[in-house]
Amino acid sequence: MATETEGGCQDSADKHIVVSGKLIDELEGLCEEDVFGCYQCGTCAAGCPFMDEMDLTVDEVLRYVILDKKEVLESKTIWLCASCFACAERCPRDINITKIMEALRQIVLRQNIDETDLECLTDEEKRSIPQMAFVSLFRKNIG
Amino acid sequence: MELLYYPGCTLKTSAVNLEESAFAVAEALGHSMIEMEEWNCCGVSASLTEDDLMHHLAPLRNLVHAEDQGMDRIVTLCDMCSNTLKQTDYRVREREDDLKTLNDFMDQENDYRMTVSVQHFLEFLRDDVGWKTLKKKVVNPLKGVRIMPYYGCMLLRPREVAIDDAEEPRIMADLIKALGAEVVDNPYKIECCGSYKTIEEKEMTSRRAKTISTYAVERDADLIMLSCPLCKYNIDQRGKEAELLFDGYSQIPVMYYTQLLAIALGLEGDWGFGAHAVDPTPLLEEKGVLPISEGST
Amino acid sequence: MSDPVGAVLVVGGGIGGIQSALDLADAGFKVYMVEDKPAIGGAMAQLDKTFPTNDCSLCILSPKLVDVGRHPNIELMTNSSVTAIDGKAGDFTVKITERARRVTEACVGCNLCAEACVLKGRLRNEFDEELKERSAIYIPYPQAVPLRYVVDPVNCLQVKTGKCAMKCVEACPANAIDFDMQDIERTVEVGSIVMAPGFEGFHAEAKGEYGYGRFDNVVTSLEFERILSASGPYEGHVLRPSDGKEPKRIAWINCVGSRDRSCGNEYCSSVCCTYSIKEAIIAKEHSGSVEPTIFYMDMRTHGKGFESYLNRAEDQHGIRFIRSRISEVQETPGKDLRIRYESEEGALREETFDMVVLSIGLEPGEGVKDLAETAGISLDDFGFCETEETRPMETDVPGVFVCGAFSGPKDIPETVMEASGAAAKAGAMISSGRGTLVEEREFVPERDVSGEEPRIGVYVCHCGINIGAYVDVPAVVEYARGLPNVVHAEENIYSCSQDAQHTLIDRIKEHGLNRVLVASCTPRTHEPLFQETLREAGLNAHLFEMANIRDQCSWVHMDDKATATEKAQDLVRMSVARAAHIEPLEELSLDVIQHGLVIGGGLAGMTAALALADQGFGVSLVEQEDALGGNMRNIHYTLDNDNVQEYLGSLVDRIGESDIIDVHLNAKVSEIGGFVGNFESVIDTPDGPERVEHGAIIVATGAVESAPAEYLFGEDERVISQTELERRIAEGEPVGRTVAMIQCVGSRDESHTYCSRVCCSDAIKNAIRIKETDPSAQVYILYRDMRTYGLKESHYGRARELGVVFVRFDLDGKPAVDTDGDALTVKVKEKILGEELFIEADIVALAPAIEPRPDRVDLAKMLKVPLNEDGFFLEAHVKLRPVDFATDGVFLAGMAHSPKTMEESIAQAYAAAARASTLLAKGEVRVNPAIADITEEMCIGCGLCVTNCPFKAMELVLKEGGRKAQVIPASCKGCGVCGASCPKLAITMKHFTNEEITAQIEAYRGVA
C-alpha cells in the first residue's frame, strides 16, 4: 500500500458517509464507466504522479468498488487525485478512471460533506496562490 | 489579425506577466489581442460527471459571448481555461440534447450556435504564425540556453481537447528550436504538477516540483519552460520551498514561453521576473541573452 | 460442378502458404503460389529460434523452402500480387501482377551487384526490421527462395531517375540485371484458393509511452529476433543499439498492441507470452550475464509443452516474471531505460534496464484489406478473416479457404495444421481435377558408378556462425583435401541454400564425383534435401554421407575453437572413410491400399473420416462407445453460441449417408499389423473380430475429463464440474444465485504439469450465460491466469462487463472449499485487498484437468508410436509436423494430441486427413532402402531379431534351407537392433554396413 499522506493542516472531519445499496449502483448515473472491466493490470497506478502519496493505489480503488467495499469513500486517494487524466489515457480497457474518481468524490460531496478547510492558509498565500487553484479546489472539493 | 482574447481570472492577477509578454509578442508578430467585451470565469475544472450540466454553464456563457461579438474564435493564454472551454464545447457538440437543455436554461443569454473554436496561444503560434515565420523574426536567438519544455496535463489530456500528441508532443520543442535554443527532453513533461492540490498539500506539490526539476538538472537544463500559470506557481514557488525540505536541492528558474519569446524577438519590457520565486535574470544574463544590468550579481 | 480446374492458388509464402502448397502439390494438384515479397519464408524466416524446443527456425524451415522452390507442381511467383479474382468455386480466373524484379533467372546469388551499388549501406533491409543495411539491389536473406536478387524500385536511382552509373550491371558475372524488365500481368485458372497472407507486427510507435522510435534501446520483439540471429545485424551477439554494449538487464513488456482497447486491438495475440520466454532464454544462452525480466498481465502458455517451458524458464533459467503492466518507459542520460510499475503488493517500484523489448502483437497486414476485397471475403472488426467455429478454414466465399494468422493470431503448429487442413478442403473441392495439370517428376537418369574408384566431394558448411564461429572451417576444408579418395573440397556459408545446391550439382558433374560428404548439421532435417540434389545431378541418392559438425561439435564446444576444429576434422575423416564404402541403393515402391482407418469417433475422428471420404477414400471408423460423438456429446454451446448438438447431429447424419464410411460402434482395434500403405488390423466388434486392410491410420482417440481430488468434489453434491454446469444451463435447470468457479483443478500442478487450455474459455462461456439469464446472479471466477487467447479475449471483457468478479490466486494460495453447517463456503485470499474473500456459494463449479486416456500406453504400443512426458501422443515434430508420427502412415488429430477447442480439433482433423490422403492418393509408397539386409545362408532361424525388432519389421519364413529371417521393407526403420542381436552376424544394415562402420571406427583411431 502507498505511504501515508502529509496533509495540509486540516483535520479529517468526522465523515458520516451513507451509502445504501451497492457502490456500483451509486456510481451509475454519475459516470458511465465499466468499472468491472478493470483487469487490475496496474498501468494506472504506475503512471499516476501521486501514487507515492496515496493510501490505496488507483487499481485498488477500482477493486474496492467491484467488491463493494465502501471504505474506499474514506480513502485519501480519491482526494489526492488531481484529475490529470494520465490513467484514463493509458488504460488498455479504455476506462476513464478520472471520471470514476470524480464520481466517488461526488458520492461524498453530494451528502453535503466538504473536503476542504482553508483556515491554515496565510494571507500572503491567499494572495499569491493563483486564483485558478482556488476555483478548482472549490469546484472539486465542495459539494 | 485581431484575436479575440479570453483572459480568465489568473491572467489578471498572479499571471499578469504572462499576459503582458503575450501581448507584446502578438504585436511584434503583427497581431492584436483584443480582450472580450464580456467574459466570466471559465468554470475550471471541467465537469466530469454525466449528470452535471450545471458546471458547463460558465464555460458555455463565454462561448456565447464570443458569438455575440461576431467572432468565431477565442484565444486563451491559460491552459486550464483552454481545457475547460474546449471540453464544454466538445460536450455540447457531441450531445445536442445537452446543448438544448443548457440553451433553454440560459434565459438571459443567446443560444450557443456551436460556431466558436477555442485556441490556445501555442496553437496559434504553430498553426497561424508558423515556426518558420517565427524563426525569421527572432533577432536575439537564445543560443546555448538549454530549455526543458513542460506541458503539464491540461494541454494534452483528455484526448478530445489535446493540442498535440499526448505521449510525444512536440509543439514546445519546435518553439524552443525556433527560438534558437536547445531542447532538453524529459519524461515528466507531460505529468501533472499537482494543480490545485497546491493549496492543501503544499509539501506534496513541493515534492512533485522537485521530481520534475531534478530530471532537468540531471540533464544540464538551464530553465524550465511552460505555459500554465498554475504549473508555473507550483514548480517555481513550491519548488523553491522544496529547497527547505531537501538538503542541497536548488530550484532552477521557470519561465513562460511568452517571456522567452519576447526576449528572443528582442522586445523591450519588464517581463515580471520579480514575480518569480527563482529569478531567471542572472541565468539569462549569464547566457548572454539579456544585457547585463547594473547592480546584478 | 463441371470438371473443376485441377489447380489451386495459394496466396502468401509464409509457413502456412508453404505447407498448403506442398500438401496440394504432393497430392497431385498444380499450385500457383503468389508472394508479395521478393522471397518466401514469411515471419518464420525472421525468427532466430522457435519455442518450445528452441530449434533454429531457419534450419527447420529451409528444407521446406527448397522443396517449394524445386517442386515441379508448384509455380512460384514472388514479388507479385493478386489483382483480380473472378469466377466461382471450381473455376476461378485470377489476375496476378508479377512486379519487375529487374533481375533475371540467370542470377547466381553472388552478391557482387550489391557490393558495387552506389547506394550500398544507405538503405535498410526490411527483413532485418531495418536494423541492417542493404543496397538498392539486394536479397532479403541469404537462404532466400528463389535465390534471385531484386531491385528496390522505390529507392534505386536508375529506376527513379534513369541516371545511374549502373555499377551493378557491370559487376554482374551472369548478365542477369535488366532494367528494361516490365511488370508482367498473368492470368491463371484455378479451382480453389487458399489465403495465407499472414500478419504484420503491431507498429509500436502507436504506443508513444513506451518510447519506441525515441529511445534507441527500446526495440520490438521482431527486431530482437534479428539481433539474436546469426545472420542479423550483430551476427548473433546480443548488443544494444545505442552503444553496441552487451545489455545485462533486459525487460520484456508483454501485450504491446494486444489486449488494448486504446489502440483498437482488444484481442490477444496468443504467441507473445511464449515467445518472450523464448527470447529471454535464448538471450541468456548467448550471454550468461543477461538478467531477463518479463512484465505481463496473464501468462498465456497454453500450448503443448509450453507450461513446462515456462516452469523451466523460471526454475532453471532464472527469468524473473513480474505481473504488472507498466505505464511508460523513461530514458536516462546514459540511454538506459527506467520503468515504474506497481508491484503485486501494491507498492510503487522503479527499476533501470539496459534494454527494453516490446512484445508486439500480430495484426492483419497492410495489403490484406485489398486482398479481402478482391476475393470478396469478409473481415471481422479487427481486420482478420471471418470464419465460423465449425468451419475454421473456410471463408464466406465458396472455394476460397484460409489458414494461419490471417484468421486470427496463432502459433506455427496451429498454422501448419490449418494449412494442411485448408489444403485438404481446397483439394477435396476439386478432387476430380487431381493429376490433370501436373507433370511427373523426371529425374536425370542415374549414372552407374559401379566399377568406379570412389571420388569423394567434401563440403564443409559454416552454417552462418552456428559452425563458422566455433570451428575453423577453412582448416577443415584444407584437411579434407588431404584425405584418401577426396578429389574436391570446398566450404559453404549455408550448404542448404538454393545456390549451394546448384553449385553442388555443377561440381558433381565437373569433378565426376561419385560420393558426396556434407559436413554440416543434422541428417534428421537435411538429409532428404541433399539426397534430392544428388538425384538431380544424376547420382543415386544414397551415395551421400553427412557429418554432423554442428549439433555434435560446434554447438557443444563453443568455448574451445582449436579443439572443436580438431574434432570436426576427426568427424570428417571418419565420414570420408565411410563414404568410400557406401553403395547406391535402389528404392522400392509398394502399392498403397487406398482405405483409411480412423480410431476414435469423436469430433476429430468424425471430421477426419468425412474429410477422407470427401476425397474419395473409404474409411473404417472405430468407436468404442455405443454412439459417435465422444466428448462432444457433453458440449451444448460455444462462446459464439453455436448449437453444438445440432452440429454433432449433422456430422453423424453425414457419416450415415456416406457409402464409403464403415462405422463400428462398441468396437475396439485390438491388433495392428503391417506398415505404411499396407496395414492389416483387427477390429473387435460385438459381432466378432473383423479384419480390415488400409493404407493409413488416423489416431483420434481423444482425452478424458479427470475427476478432481480436491475442493470437496465427490463429497458435496453442490461441487460439480464445468461440464455438469453446462448441462444444467443448457437444460434450463437452476444453478443458484451465487456460483463460484475454480480454475486449474489438477492442471498446472503436481498432478498434471500442463495447461488444459480450454477451461478458462469454458468458465467464461458459462459465466456469461448465467449472467445473461439472471443479471442479479453473483458469479465468481477464481483463476491463476486467464487464458482467453486469440479472439476469445473479447469474451473475457464481456464477462467482466456483465459483472462477473474475477479473483486471482497462486499455487501456494489455493482457495478452500468447506461446509459450514448447511452453507457451502469458498475462502480465498484476495490479493489486491490483502484480505480473505468469503463466498457463500450455491454451486461451486470446478475446471478439472483434461487427461490422456487411461489406455494410452497399450494404444501407443499397438500403434508403435511414442507418448510425451504428459502422456499425450508425441508427434514427429512439435512445430512443423504436428499431425504426423515418426512412424510413417500414422497420423494424429484432436485431444489425443493435446487439449484443444472444437475449432482446433476440426482443423487438426482436416490436416491429418490431408496428410493421409496425400499418402493414399499417390497409390504407392517409396520405401527407405536403408534397411536390414539378411545373408540367408548364414541365418540359422533363431528368431532373436524378430523378438527384438521394435517395429515388428522382421518375420521368420519357411524356406528351402529352413526357417529364415525376412525383413518387411516398409516397416523397417534401419535401426540396427536386429543386426546387433544376430549371433551369426547374418544381418547387416544397408547404408550402415559392418564394413562402413568398421571403416569409420578405424579412421577415428587414426588407422587409415
Side-chain angles (χ1 to χ4, degrees):
Chain A
M1 305 285 184
T3 55
E4 288 275 309
T5 245
E6 294 165 32
C9 57
Q10 59 172 92
D11 275 332
S12 313
D14 268 311
K15 302 183 186 75
H16 186 58
I17 305 166
V18 174
V19 178
S20 52
K22 289 195 162 168
L23 262 180
I24 190 68
D25 297 325
E26 289 282 329
L27 283 175
E28 228 182 277
L30 287 175
C31 75
E32 242 108 84
E33 294 301 311
D34 171 23
V35 185
F36 272 78
C38 169
Y39 279 176
Q40 272 86 49
C41 69
T43 306
C44 49
C48 175
F50 308 103
M51 155 107 155
D52 275 339
E53 322 264 352
M54 294 173 165
D55 51 356
L56 292 182
T57 66
V58 181
D59 56 335
E60 278 169 358
V61 167
L62 267 68
R63 191 65 174 167
Y64 271 62
V65 173
I66 291 173
L67 294 174
D68 203 35
K69 296 215 163 279
K70 311 212 168 64
E71 308 88 274
V72 67
L73 295 173
E74 288 163 22
S75 70
K76 295 194 167 72
T77 298
I78 63 177
W79 299 106
L80 284 178
C81 166
S83 300
C84 78
F85 279 90
C87 50
E89 277 300 298
R90 292 193 179 150
C91 174
R93 305 285 297 147
D94 246 6
I95 298 174
N96 193 327
I97 301 155
T98 316
K99 281 188 163 170
I100 295 173
M101 288 290 174
E102 178 74 12
L104 290 169
R105 289 191 290 263
Q106 285 293 326
I107 292 176
V108 177
L109 293 174
R110 290 184 192 196
Q111 300 206 1
N112 248 326
I113 300 168
D114 296 339
E115 183 70 23
T116 186
D117 186 354
L118 292 175
E119 284 164 15
C120 56
L121 281 182
T122 67
D123 283 337
E124 169 59 34
E125 284 176 323
K126 285 183 190 158
R127 259 201 311 275
S128 61
I129 295 177
Q131 259 171 292
M132 56 206 273
F134 289 104
V135 180
S136 303
L137 179 68
F138 297 155
R139 300 262 282 199
K140 285 290 208 195
N141 288 26
I142 295 177
Chain B
M1 68 174 97
E2 269 186 15
L3 303 171
L4 190 62
Y5 166 57
Y6 171 84
C9 55
T10 311
L11 268 293
K12 294 295 185 189
T13 53
S14 342
V16 172
N17 47 0
L18 171 56
E19 188 180 82
E20 285 177 355
S21 49
F23 269 52
V25 165
E27 202 183 302
L29 295 172
H31 306 279
S32 51
M33 310 262 282
I34 315 285
E35 190 172 311
M36 282 171 71
E37 281 162 18
E38 284 262 356
W39 61 270
N40 50 255
C41 166
C42 73
V44 68
S45 313
S47 159
L48 285 177
T49 38
E50 288 295 309
D51 62 351
D52 176 9
L53 282 182
M54 193 67 100
H55 282 95
H56 283 290
L57 272 180
L60 194 67
R61 289 181 77 229
N62 287 310
L63 298 175
V64 168
H65 291 316
E67 277 182 342
D68 288 343
Q69 271 190 257
M71 301 291 269
D72 64 359
R73 172 162 59 159
I74 298 177
V75 176
T76 109
L77 287 169
C78 170
D79 292 18
M80 286 188 108
C81 296
S82 159
N83 187 293
T84 312
L85 293 171
K86 281 180 192 240
Q87 284 213 47
T88 293
D89 191 29
Y90 180 82
R91 169 75 180 254
V92 300
R93 283 170 196 259
E94 283 291 295
R95 308 206 212 172
E96 302 230 0
D97 286 344
D98 288 347
L99 179 57
K100 184 162 186 330
T101 310
L102 286 162
N103 278 337
D104 286 345
F105 186 83
M106 294 189 299
D107 45 11
Q108 283 178 327
E109 294 85 352
N110 290 323
D111 284 355
Y112 178 51
R113 295 185 310 275
M114 300 194 287
T115 63
V116 178
S117 71
V118 178
Q119 194 186 43
H120 188 277
F121 195 62
L122 272 171
E123 292 181 278
F124 169 74
L125 290 174
R126 177 190 63 194
D127 302 330
D128 292 277
V129 175
W131 305 128
K132 277 212 187 88
T133 311
L134 194 61
K135 197 165 177 176
K136 283 201 206 113
K137 304 238 172 180
V138 167
V139 300
N140 179 20
L142 308 176
K143 262 177 79 174
V145 182
R146 292 174 56 75
I147 304 178
M148 178 180 120
Y150 179 76
Y151 296 80
C153 43
M154 294 280 122
L155 289 177
L156 303 172
R157 297 187 289 270
R159 249 171 261 155
E160 304 85 72
V161 301
I163 70 169
D164 201 349
D165 182 290
E167 297 292 348
E168 293 170 277
R170 44 180 303 177
I171 193 169
M172 285 197 182
D174 288 342
L175 172 58
I176 293 171
K177 282 190 229 153
L179 300 181
E182 292 167 36
V183 179
V184 178
D185 198 10
N186 82 96
Y188 294 97
K189 64 182 184 288
I190 56 174
E191 280 195 20
C192 180
C193 67
S195 187
Y196 60 91
K197 300 274 153 230
T198 193
I199 298 177
E200 304 202 313
E201 309 284 351
K202 286 205 289 280
E203 290 185 7
M204 181 174 98
T205 320
S206 287
R207 285 193 283 273
R208 204 73 287 269
K210 172 177 182 280
T211 307
I212 293 168
S213 308
T214 303
Y215 198 94
V217 169
E218 273 176 3
R219 289 170 158 259
D220 295 325
D222 297 313
L223 59 93
I224 296 176
M225 179 183 99
L226 40 71
S227 54
C228 170
L230 189 48
C231 293
K232 182 255 174 198
Y233 180 82
N234 283 346
I235 300 185
D236 184 39
Q237 175 63 34
R238 296 278 177 253
K240 183 101 181 111
E241 288 166 16
E243 289 176 1
L244 299 169
L245 294 173
F246 298 98
D247 261 334
Y249 175 68
S250 174
Q251 180 59 40
I252 71 171
V254 172
M255 290 179 68
Y256 291 115
Y257 66 103
T258 48
Q259 291 168 321
L260 287 163
L261 249 174
I263 294 172
L265 293 175
L267 305 178
E268 293 275 320
D270 169 14
W271 309 119
F273 295 146
H276 289 230
V278 179
D279 188 348
T281 317
L283 170 81
L284 296 170
E285 288 175 349
E286 190 196 308
K287 290 287 174 176
V289 296
L290 268 190
I292 307 212
S293 57
E294 282 165 21
S296 66
T297 38
Chain C
M1 67 180 77
S2 59
D3 294 328
V5 180
V8 184
L9 171 72
V10 173
V11 181
I15 183 61
I18 288 171
Q19 185 63 48
S20 248
L22 287 171
D23 281 339
L24 285 162
D26 283 341
F29 297 103
K30 165 100 185 170
V31 177
Y32 296 100
M33 183 187 249
V34 175
E35 164 59 44
D36 184 56
K37 299 205 179 64
I40 56 174
M44 191 175 170
Q46 291 178 285
L47 306 178
D48 176 42
K49 304 274 187 335
T50 54
F51 55 74
T53 52
N54 292 348
D55 277 325
C56 156
S57 185
L58 213 42
C59 296
I60 57 178
L61 179 64
S62 64
K64 288 201 190 256
L65 296 177
V66 177
D67 269 350
V68 168
R70 57 164 41 149
H71 204 297
N73 298 348
I74 299 179
E75 198 173 315
L76 179 57
M77 286 173 266
T78 50
N79 219 36
S80 306
S81 12
V82 172
T83 51
I85 299 178
D86 292 302
K88 58 186 199 322
D91 192 3
F92 288 105
T93 305
V94 182
K95 290 211 180 66
I96 299 164
T97 302
E98 280 189 74
R99 295 189 297 279
R101 275 179 113 93
R102 300 182 172 81
V103 174
T104 69
E105 280 182 14
C107 174
V108 296
C110 64
N111 203 50
L112 288 172
C113 54
E115 286 291 318
C117 176
V118 301
L119 290 179
K120 175 177 165 180
R122 303 249 285 273
L123 302 170
R124 313 229 62 135
N125 193 14
E126 294 81 353
F127 180 82
D128 289 296
E129 298 295 309
E130 310 211 340
L131 291 176
K132 227 174 146 176
E133 293 148 2
R134 65 165 171 80
S135 308
I137 183 168
Y138 69 104
I139 190 117
Y141 62 102
Q143 305 92 330
V145 167
L147 191 77
R148 243 168 96 188
Y149 275 57
V150 64
V151 170
D152 167 3
V154 171
N155 292 299
C156 167
L157 288 177
Q158 181 60 20
V159 173
K160 269 205 312 202
T161 65
K163 297 198 204 91
C164 177
M166 293 194 283
K167 301 253 177 218
C168 52
V169 176
E170 231 178 84
C172 177
N175 268 330
I177 302 175
D178 176 9
F179 279 102
D180 293 325
M181 204 186 268
Q182 300 294 318
D183 291 351
I184 300 175
E185 302 292 330
R186 301 231 4 224
T187 305
V188 302
E189 310 272 328
V190 296
S192 48
I193 300 174
V194 175
M195 294 286 189
F199 69 92
E200 252 177 45
F202 171 75
H203 297 283
E205 310 83 57
K207 297 290 290 178
E209 55 261 48
Y210 296 146
Y212 177 73
R214 282 184 294 145
F215 307 146
D216 292 337
N217 295 322
V218 173
V219 300
T220 65
S221 49
L222 266 175
E223 288 173 350
F224 198 71
E225 293 285 338
R226 297 314 305 148
I227 289 175
L228 286 172
S229 173
S231 61
Y234 309 136
E235 295 182 344
H237 297 287
V238 180
L239 304 174
R240 64 179 206 166
S242 72
D243 51 17
K245 286 218 188 83
E246 271 190 32
K248 214 167 94 141
R249 303 157 299 182
I250 308 181
W252 273 261
I253 314 296
N254 284 4
C255 301
V256 175
S258 308
R259 302 186 70 188
D260 189 341
R261 274 187 180 164
S262 67
C263 63
N265 290 358
E266 193 179 344
Y267 58 87
C268 161
S269 291
S270 285
V271 301
C272 328
C273 282
T274 321
Y275 83 48
S276 62
I277 293 174
K278 169 196 71 173
E279 289 188 352
I281 292 177
I282 304 295
K284 242 191 135 160
E285 241 176 52
H286 281 241
S287 161
S289 60
V290 166
E291 292 164 12
T293 303
I294 299 181
F295 288 92
Y296 69 102
M297 291 200 281
D298 289 286
M299 187 44 64
R300 294 177 168 184
T301 46
H302 46 279
K304 187 173 183 179
F306 296 177
E307 190 72 26
S308 22
Y309 195 56
L310 166 65
N311 292 335
R312 280 201 305 279
E314 224 172 346
D315 305 329
Q316 280 171 31
H317 299 280
I319 291 166
R320 193 166 64 129
F321 289 88
I322 298 183
R323 186 186 294 262
S324 181
R325 188 171 183 277
I326 69 168
S327 181
E328 63 172 4
V329 175
Q330 298 177 356
E331 198 184 40
T332 70
K335 301 225 174 206
D336 290 337
L337 302 148
R338 212 145 51 198
I339 289 180
R340 228 165 46 190
Y341 64 95
E342 186 193 1
S343 74
E344 274 194 60
E345 300 82 39
L348 183 64
R349 297 218 192 290
E350 207 172 274
E351 279 185 38
T352 309
F353 295 92
D354 304 310
M355 201 162 159
V356 167
V357 182
L358 302 178
S359 299
I360 51 175
L362 279 53
E363 286 187 322
E366 286 279 328
V368 142
K369 263 221 270 297
D370 293 333
L371 185 62
E373 231 179 85
T374 306
I377 60 183
S378 304
L379 302 177
D380 71 7
D381 293 330
F382 304 116
F384 292 110
C385 181
E386 279 273 18
T387 59
E388 274 175 43
E389 186 143 351
T390 55
R391 302 193 311 187
M393 282 88 59
E394 290 178 37
T395 66
D396 51 4
V397 173
V400 180
F401 302 96
V402 62
C403 68
F406 179 37
S407 55
K410 52 179 72 79
D411 63 11
I412 292 169
E414 285 167 51
T415 298
V416 170
M417 287 187 226
E418 283 193 352
S420 290
K425 293 197 160 191
M429 172 161 274
I430 57 173
S431 62
S432 54
R434 187 198 306 272
T436 55
L437 293 173
V438 298
E439 333 143 1
E440 261 307 309
R441 191 177 222 153
E442 293 274 333
F443 278 106
V444 171
E446 244 174 64
R447 192 175 105 223
D448 183 4
V449 304
S450 55
E452 285 180 33
E453 285 295 313
R455 291 175 66 79
I456 304 174
V458 178
Y459 298 87
V460 188
C461 187
H462 280 256
C463 192
I465 59 158
N466 272 305
I467 296 173
Y470 309 104
V471 168
D472 182 352
V473 171
V476 179
V477 173
E478 198 45 52
Y479 179 79
R481 285 203 181 104
L483 293 172
N485 296 311
V486 174
V487 300
H488 177 75
E490 74 180 77
E491 53 186 279
N492 297 128
I493 306 294
Y494 290 103
S495 303
C496 53
S497 63
Q498 221 173 33
D499 73 313
Q501 306 314 303
H502 293 317
T503 310
L504 184 48
I505 294 174
D506 288 340
R507 297 278 183 272
I508 290 174
K509 296 183 180 151
E510 243 174 80
H511 297 276
L513 302 176
N514 57 25
R515 306 285 187 289
V516 173
L517 162 63
V518 174
S520 62
C521 56
T522 169
R524 274 182 304 122
T525 50
H526 285 61
E527 186 177 48
L529 174 71
F530 294 116
Q531 282 179 327
E532 209 162 273
T533 304
L534 260 69
R535 286 183 79 182
E536 294 204 352
L539 274 185
N540 180 279
H542 299 276
L543 292 169
F544 173 70
E545 160 71 335
M546 209 163 161
N548 188 339
I549 60 171
R550 186 194 68 178
D551 309 41
Q552 292 171 11
C553 187
S554 70
W555 271 2
V556 293
H557 302 301
M558 287 181 175
D559 50 357
D560 186 349
K561 192 163 188 169
T563 318
T565 305
E566 238 181 81
K567 179 170 173 178
Q569 291 170 336
D570 287 343
L571 290 170
V572 167
R573 180 177 70 249
M574 290 161 69
S575 287
V576 164
R578 171 160 172 253
H581 294 274
I582 54 183
E583 293 294 322
L585 297 173
E586 213 184 285
E587 276 193 357
L588 286 176
S589 83
L590 299 163
D591 282 335
V592 163
I593 300 166
Q594 293 181 314
H595 187 89
L597 172 69
V598 176
I599 310 179
L603 176 59
M606 290 191 289
T607 307
L610 285 167
L612 278 175
D614 281 343
Q615 304 247 22
F617 301 110
V619 182
S620 298
L621 176 58
V622 182
E623 166 55 48
Q624 72 175 20
E625 307 223 13
D626 58 5
L628 293 171
N631 285 314
M632 201 177 168
R633 290 171 298 167
N634 298 326
I635 306 176
H636 302 271
Y637 47 85
T638 62
L639 272 171
D640 293 317
N641 289 321
D642 299 306
N643 186 331
V644 177
Q645 293 302 305
E646 210 174 83
Y647 181 60
L648 171 56
S650 72
L651 284 176
V652 175
D653 287 341
R654 277 177 61 202
I655 288 178
E657 283 158 17
S658 168
D659 296 328
I660 53 178
I661 303 181
D662 293 324
V663 181
H664 302 271
L665 296 173
N666 291 309
K668 269 184 114 145
V669 176
S670 56
E671 242 179 77
I672 300 180
F675 47 91
V676 56
N678 293 275
F679 291 106
E680 197 182 292
S681 303
V682 176
I683 308 173
D684 278 340
T685 75
D687 301 322
E690 216 177 282
R691 298 200 97 81
V692 57
E693 289 179 357
H694 51 103
I697 305 173
I698 295 183
V699 179
T701 50
V704 298
E705 188 177 279
S706 64
E710 47 188 337
Y711 303 127
L712 298 185
F713 187 80
E715 290 172 39
D716 187 312
E717 59 177 18
R718 292 169 291 184
V719 179
I720 59 177
S721 69
Q722 284 283 346
T723 312
E724 169 59 17
L725 179 64
E726 183 174 341
R727 185 198 65 76
R728 291 189 193 183
I729 295 171
E731 307 200 349
E733 284 175 33
V735 294
R737 303 295 309 288
T738 307
V739 178
M741 301 183 180
I742 305 182
Q743 301 302 105
C744 297
V745 180
S747 301
R748 302 180 68 195
D749 63 16
E750 329 80 49
S751 43
H752 309 92
T753 49
Y754 56 87
C755 162
S756 292
R757 192 178 177 112
V758 299
C759 343
C760 283
S761 309
D762 275 347
I764 284 187
K765 170 179 92 171
N766 291 331
I768 290 178
R769 279 271 168 140
I770 294 174
K771 282 298 253 188
E772 277 177 348
T773 313
D774 176 11
S776 69
Q778 281 274 78
V779 181
Y780 295 86
I781 297 185
L782 280 52
Y783 71 101
R784 285 171 57 193
D785 285 285
M786 189 43 62
R787 292 180 169 182
T788 44
Y789 55 93
L791 299 170
K792 303 183 211 309
E793 179 71 20
S794 38
H795 296 284
Y796 178 29
R798 173 120 181 84
R800 287 239 183 208
E801 269 166 48
L802 286 171
V804 174
V805 178
F806 287 81
V807 186
R808 210 175 56 75
F809 67 89
D810 278 330
L811 197 50
D812 53 3
K814 280 169 131 176
V817 177
D818 285 306
T819 44
D820 183 6
D822 278 339
L824 181 63
T825 65
V826 180
K827 283 202 210 80
V828 65
K829 179 105 181 281
E830 213 292 327
K831 283 182 160 286
I832 308 206
L833 265 43
E835 42 180 72
E836 216 166 54
L837 191 63
F838 181 87
I839 305 168
E840 214 178 284
D842 294 317
I843 295 236
V844 172
L846 305 180
I850 295 176
E851 285 182 325
R853 298 179 53 88
D855 57 1
R856 61 184 175 274
V857 175
D858 294 328
L859 211 51
K861 271 211 197 100
M862 184 170 59
L863 291 160
K864 297 181 216 144
V865 295
L867 296 172
N868 77 354
E869 60 198 1
D870 297 318
F872 291 98
F873 288 103
L874 182 58
E875 59 269 47
H877 188 272
V878 167
K879 279 314 234 209
L880 295 186
R881 298 182 66 199
V883 298
D884 298 355
F885 279 106
T887 311
D888 290 330
V890 190
F891 305 97
L892 178 61
M895 293 219 286
H897 165 273
S898 66
K900 50 175 60 71
T901 65
M902 293 197 324
E903 199 176 11
E904 292 159 359
S905 275
I906 293 172
Q908 197 176 22
Y910 270 101
R915 310 281 301 149
S917 45
T918 303
L919 166 66
L920 298 176
K922 278 210 180 103
E924 64 170 21
V925 63
R926 288 228 130 94
V927 177
N928 171 28
I931 55 176
D933 185 31
I934 302 162
T935 309
E936 265 188 29
E937 308 86 68
M938 294 168 68
C939 172
I940 58 171
C942 69
L944 263 177
C945 55
V946 176
T947 319
N948 289 344
C949 175
F951 300 100
K952 303 272 191 342
M954 277 295 199
E955 51 187 9
L956 278 177
V957 171
L958 192 56
K959 293 209 166 150
E960 256 184 47
R963 280 182 351 152
K964 300 287 179 184
Q966 188 169 277
V967 66
I968 303 166
S971 298
C972 176
K973 292 285 173 189
C975 71
V977 167
C978 54
S981 14
C982 178
K984 288 307 209 172
L985 295 178
I987 304 181
T988 186
M989 309 312 294
K990 288 209 189 142
H991 200 56
F992 291 95
T993 62
N994 295 333
E995 216 181 10
E996 289 167 25
I997 307 249
T998 313
Q1000 232 175 336
I1001 295 172
E1002 295 193 334
Y1004 168 65
R1005 287 183 348 190
V1007 177

